[in-house]
Amino acid sequence: EVQLVESGGGLVQPGGSLRLSCAASGFTFSNYWMSWVRQAPGKGLEWVANINLDGSEKYYVDSVKGRFTISRDNAKNLLYLQMNSLRAEDTAVYKCARDSGIAAAGQDYWGQGTLVTVSS
Amino acid sequence: DIQMTQSPSSLSASVGDRVTITCRASQSISSYLNWYQQKPGKAPKLLIYAASSLQSGVPSRFSGSGSGTDFTLIISSLQPEDFATYYCQQSYSSYTFGQGTKLEIK
């Protein structure tokens, strides 16, 4: 059974940093692109970033470029999101998701998410 | 950046109804369009990919169509478990979601 479990969320002040982790199991992690998607309270879904199989390609939504860094450790089946210079508008539940094995077919498995609150 | 606009933002329907949700892209995205269902407090579920391909395990009452800029999700006969929020997503250039359509019980 595919499982994705996020951790690392919490309350952080504006300008602060946080690193999220996503533990993957039930599939061969190194065979899939992975994404982070966020959802602000009561709002819709926003794709944040994704990463290719070996971590050599990374893509970001414009609003987080230069502030967030996605990475992965295939030996440990872990996906990360390093978030720096956090802003109030970054407050959201951050979910990791597996990009479908079919090219450009979206995300087929999702975690439940970890809440990040940016507030003073 | 590609913008995705869904309509309506919300709708009320009854069990057994046929429901149509539309999604428009700000530029042509070929058939790189996916649909998701999300229930409160739950992770999104991939329903349709590549505009019209049914994800494994998804009931056949869900169908998708369209190409270019205009797309449609159809639920042929609403079931009680279908009341949820639906999102379209373009995968032509990275990913962008529509704002969502909340489907409520009439």
Side-chain angles (χ1 to χ4, degrees), chain A residues 33-115:
Chain A
W33 287 61
M34 296 294 295
S35 283
W36 286 99
V37 177
R38 66 185 178 183
Q39 188 166 31
K43 302 298 184 182
L45 300 167
E46 181 182 37
W47 174 82
V48 173
N50 72 344
I51 187 168
N52 74 336
L53 306 187
D54 64 2
S56 61
E57 293 181 44
K58 305 173 185 182
Y59 300 92
Y60 301 91
V61 68
D62 285 349
S63 59
V64 308
K65 282 179 182 175
R67 301 189 299 122
F68 289 12
T69 303
I70 189 172
S71 62
R72 66 191 297 163
D73 184 335
N74 286 342
K76 296 181 178 178
N77 289 353
L78 288 170
L79 177 71
Y80 301 104
L81 187 67
Q82 177 67 44
M83 303 185 296
N84 299 330
S85 302
L86 282 160
R87 307 166 180 166
E89 55 265 35
D90 296 319
T91 294
V93 174
Y94 285 74
K95 306 172 193 276
C96 74
R98 189 181 85 170
D99 285 12
S100 169
I102 302 169
Q107 288 75 41
D108 60 357
Y109 285 93
W110 298 65
Q112 288 299 314
T114 186
L115 177 62

Side-chain angles (χ1 to χ4, degrees), chain B:
Chain B
D1 292 359
I2 300 173
Q3 308 301 318
M4 306 301 295
T5 304
Q6 287 181 233
S7 60
S9 295
S10 64
L11 77 150
S12 297
S14 301
V15 172
D17 284 353
R18 176 184 174 92
V19 167
T20 300
I21 298 170
T22 63
C23 180
R24 174 164 289 178
S26 59
Q27 66 181 73
S28 177
I29 57 171
S30 185
S31 295
Y32 292 97
L33 192 283
N34 311 308
W35 289 98
Y36 296 83
Q37 176 194 69
Q38 187 181 30
K39 297 180 180 179
K42 300 294 187 181
K45 176 184 178 182
L46 180 63
L47 300 175
I48 303 280
Y49 63 92
S52 61
S53 296
L54 199 64
Q55 175 71 356
S56 175
V58 174
S60 59
R61 64 180 179 272
F62 291 93
S63 64
S65 64
S67 66
T69 60
D70 294 312
F71 302 87
T72 301
L73 173 70
I74 293 174
I75 310 172
S76 60
S77 178
L78 269 177
Q79 299 302 301
E81 60 268 29
D82 299 337
F83 292 95
T85 299
Y86 292 84
Y87 295 92
C88 64
Q89 178 202 49
Q90 68 82 17
S91 51
Y92 180 84
S93 175
S94 291
Y95 298 99
T96 312
F97 288 92
Q99 81 278 14
T101 295
K102 187 174 184 179
L103 178 54
E104 298 174 306
I105 301 174
K106 184 182 288 184

Side-chain angles (χ1 to χ4, degrees), chain A residues 23-35:
Chain A
S25 61
F27 66 102
T28 304
F29 182 69
S30 57
N31 285 355
Y32 290 86
W33 287 61
M34 296 294 295
S35 283

